[in-house]
Amino acid sequence: FAVALLASVAGLAIGLISGFLRWADGIIMRVMDGLMSIPGILLAIGLVSVSGASLATVTIAITIPEIPRACC
């Protein structure tokens, strides 16, 4: 539930920024395309291995790959 909520909130914020600031839309979309090009589970494993294993870290690591699906 936490991952879905965090991804939705972050996606909403990024989508609003992208919609209001048209010059930032291209930059944001390239970042989202880059995130979507990496398999989500591999990105999450990499983030957890770099930052250490805890519940908060795992939640954030799973949330980050889900943000592009929530915003764009």
Side-chain angles (χ1 to χ4, degrees):
F1 181 73
V3 172
L5 181 67
L6 288 172
S8 297
V9 169
L12 178 66
I14 291 170
L16 286 172
I17 291 169
S18 179
F20 282 115
L21 303 175
R22 300 303 279 173
W23 58 269
D25 182 45
I27 298 167
I28 291 171
M29 287 308 295
R30 296 301 79 80
V31 171
M32 294 300 122
D33 288 342
L35 279 175
M36 289 177 65
S37 69
I38 303 169
I41 191 69
L42 291 179
L43 182 60
I45 290 171
L47 290 172
V48 169
S49 67
V50 168
S51 60
S54 71
L55 183 61
T57 305
V58 171
T59 303
I60 292 169
I62 295 172
T63 300
I64 291 173
E66 294 300 319
I67 291 173
R69 290 163 188 82
C71 83
C72 306

